[in-house]
Amino acid sequence: MTLPSALLDSLRATFPAEALATGEAERIAYSYDNSRLHALPDAVVFPVQHAQVEALVRACCMYKVPVIARGRGSNTTGASVPINGGVVVSFERMNRILRIDPDNRLVVVEPGVLNGDLQQALLPLGFFWPPDPTSAPWCSIGGNLACNSAGPRTVKYGSPRENTLGLRAVAGNGEGFRCGTYTSKGATGYDLTRLLIGSEGTLALITEATLKLTPKPSALRTLRATYRDVGSAARAVARIMAQPVTPCALEFIDDVALKLAHEHGGDSVPLAGAMLMIEVDGEPATLDSVVDAVAAAARGDGLEELRVAQSAEETRALWAARKALSPAQRTISPNKINEDVVVPVSHLPALVDGIKQLSAKHDVLIVTFGHAGNGNLHVNLLPRDEAERTRAHACLADVFALVISLEGTLSGEHGIGMVKREFMPLALEASTLALMRNIKTAFDPDGILNPGKLLPDVAGAMAAVETSERSGRNF
C-alpha cells in the first residue's frame, strides 16, 4: 500500500526526522524476522514515549492502515512481518529501566529493554526475571511478552504470564490504558495483563511493563544424563517431574541432535541415544539433598552415564552439546523449520517416539530438543532440497496432529504468527476461536493491529477443519 499524504504529514508531526524512516533501505531492515519471511512496510517509526504511540495508532486508525509492533526480530513465526504493508513500530528506543523496587520485588521497564540487559541490572541486587529464552542477549522484553517467550527456567519459575504484574498499552483505537497491579495479589476485574501477553501485538501495543522479580538462588548444580534411546530419556523426564523436587532446567536432546553437535563441537559432546541436561538451584546447605533426589529419579532402565558438575568450568563443559546445536543445524539446512510444541509431561515418551516414526515415514531429518520439564520440545525439520522441503511441510502437519492427539498444544513460547495460523482450528474449537475474534474486535475494532497473524480467518478455519476430516486425522 501507499500511505496517504495526510497520514505521512501526521507521522512527521509526531516523529522527528530521525524517528521516521521511509527510505527503501531502512524499510528493508524491518521487513523480516527470524522466520525468514519478509514483506516491506511503508514506513518505520521509532517512538520514545507512550504519547507518540497513542498518536500513531489514532492516525493509522483514521486511515485504516496496519500497525505492526516489533522488538528485535528474533521471532521465528513471522509475527512481526508486515505482510499487508503499513507502519512498523520499532520499540528499540524505548529501552529504559524506569524503576527497580527490591522491597516490592518488582521492576518497571519499557518494551525495548533487552532481556539480558535487565538481568545484568538486577544481578547486583540479588534478583532476576525468570524468563530466559536462548535469545536473551538480544531479544527485548516487549517481544518476550508478545509471544510469552520463556526458556529453560520456566519449568520451575514460570513464563512471562506468571512473572508480569501489570502493563501499560495502547488499544487499536488509539486509547491508552493500564491493566494489572503493582502488587503480588489482585482480584479486580478481568485479567487483561495475561490476555495481552502472548497476543503478538494483535490486541494492543505494550509501552510499559511491571515485572515480578524473584530472588536469585545462591547455589546451582548441573547434571548430565545420557541414555540408551530417546524413550528411556523421555521416561526419565516423567520420573523427575513426578517427584517433589523441581529442577530449574530440564533439557532434552535426541540422538540426531547429539550426533550433529558432536560433529560440530568435538569430543566434549557425548554420543548417545539421548541426553538430559538438568539444573537444580537453592541454598548450599540443602543442595546436596536436592541433587540426590533428582539423580535418583534420573536413574532407571536405559541410563548410560550420570555426571554431576563440580565446578563452573565443568558446568560449561556439560552444556557444550546444547550450545553447539544451533550452529550445527545451520550447517545442515538453511531452510530449517523450527517449531515448538507442548504435551503433558507424561506423554513425552509417546511424542518422542511418534516424531521418530514421522521422520522415517516422510524421509525428513528431524532434530528434537528442548524444555522437557514443561513437555515443550523444539521440533526442527531440516530439509536439504526442494523435494525434502515438500515432504517436510506434510510431515509438519502430521507432527501437529500427533501433538493434538496427545492433549498438547501448538506452541509453548514461539507463538503462532503466520506459520502456525492455519493450524489453529485443529487446536481450538470453532466457538473458542469465535470468542477470540470478538475479543480482537473489542480491542481493535478496525483490525489494524498486526493483521493476518495468530487468528485464522473464518473461511480458512473451515477449510482447515474440512481438510483434516478428509485426511482421516483424529484430533
Side-chain angles (χ1 to χ4, degrees), residues 141-171:
I141 298 299
N144 296 165
L145 297 173
C147 294
N148 198 32
S149 298
R153 288 193 295 226
T154 310
V155 63
K156 182 173 183 178
Y157 294 106
S159 70
R161 281 198 174 110
E162 290 75 51
N163 289 280
T164 303
L165 298 173
L167 300 170
R168 190 182 189 194
V170 179

Side-chain angles (χ1 to χ4, degrees), residues 46-395:
F46 304 90
V48 294
Q49 55 182 315
H50 174 91
Q52 288 179 303
V53 181
E54 287 186 339
L56 165 72
V57 177
R58 283 196 300 269
C60 288
C61 186
M62 183 180 301
Y63 295 97
K64 307 298 186 290
V65 169
V67 178
I68 302 91
R70 181 185 175 92
R72 289 303 181 98
S74 60
N75 182 266
T76 62
T77 67
S80 57
V81 175
I83 56 174
N84 295 303
V87 180
V88 165
V89 188
S90 173
F91 284 100
E92 63 193 85
R93 298 181 189 176
M94 290 185 72
N95 60 359
R96 295 178 299 164
I97 298 174
L98 301 174
R99 169 185 168 195
I100 300 178
D101 186 349
D103 292 346
N104 292 303
R105 293 192 177 185
L106 64 83
V107 60
V108 182
V109 302
E110 292 180 327
V113 172
L114 300 186
N115 184 301
D117 289 349
L118 175 60
Q119 307 295 2
Q120 288 300 311
L122 297 174
L123 190 60
L125 301 173
F127 288 90
F128 71 106
W129 191 54
D132 64 329
T134 304
S135 55
W138 61 87
C139 67
S140 68
I141 298 299
N144 296 165
L145 297 173
C147 294
N148 198 32
S149 298
R153 288 193 295 226
T154 310
V155 63
K156 182 173 183 178
Y157 294 106
S159 70
R161 281 198 174 110
E162 290 75 51
N163 289 280
T164 303
L165 298 173
L167 300 170
R168 190 182 189 194
V170 179
N173 59 2
E175 290 187 5
F177 64 96
R178 288 185 180 274
C179 55
T181 66
Y182 293 100
T183 60
S184 60
K185 294 180 70 175
T188 310
Y190 300 123
D191 191 346
L192 299 183
T193 301
R194 289 175 67 93
L195 179 61
L196 293 186
I197 296 171
S199 65
E200 302 181 21
T202 62
L203 300 180
L205 305 186
I206 295 170
T207 60
E208 183 181 292
T210 303
L211 309 177
K212 182 171 68 175
L213 299 183
T214 298
K216 195 168 184 63
S218 56
L220 181 76
R221 198 75 61 79
T222 302
L223 301 83
R224 186 176 78 185
T226 54
Y227 293 86
R228 178 182 62 233
D229 51 49
V230 293
S232 299
R235 288 187 289 274
V237 171
R239 290 195 304 271
I240 292 168
M241 294 309 297
Q243 52 85 49
V245 174
T246 302
C248 62
L250 177 50
E251 299 288 289
F252 169 90
I253 305 174
D254 75 0
D255 55 331
V256 181
L258 284 174
K259 185 175 184 296
L260 289 177
H262 181 86
E263 292 172 354
H264 185 84
D267 292 338
S268 62
V269 180
L271 290 175
M275 185 174 79
L276 298 181
M277 292 297 304
I278 312 163
E279 282 194 343
V280 294
D281 62 8
E283 299 309 304
T286 62
L287 203 56
D288 284 344
S289 63
V290 170
V291 170
D292 290 343
V294 172
R299 295 188 178 95
D301 181 53
L303 177 69
E304 293 183 341
E305 182 189 36
L306 178 63
R307 293 178 58 186
V308 181
Q310 300 299 323
S311 66
E313 183 178 351
E314 191 172 355
T315 295
R316 286 191 292 271
L318 291 184
W319 277 103
R322 184 68 170 84
K323 293 182 181 298
L325 274 177
S326 291
Q329 289 180 83
R330 283 195 292 268
T331 65
I332 298 294
S333 173
N335 299 298
K336 178 180 74 168
I337 300 173
N338 177 20
E339 296 297 345
D340 79 311
V341 297
V342 194
V343 297
V345 172
S346 62
H347 292 169
L348 264 181
L351 175 63
V352 170
D353 289 342
I355 289 172
K356 282 284 184 186
Q357 294 171 21
L358 291 176
S359 177
K361 172 187 173 182
H362 292 277
D363 191 20
V364 174
L365 183 66
I366 301 180
V367 171
T368 306
F369 60 91
H371 318 311
N374 297 109
N376 180 199
L377 293 188
H378 296 259
V379 181
N380 298 270
L381 290 76
L382 304 178
R384 291 158 290 190
D385 55 38
E386 189 59 38
E388 289 191 358
R389 280 194 289 273
T390 300
R391 297 200 300 272
H393 286 289
C395 181

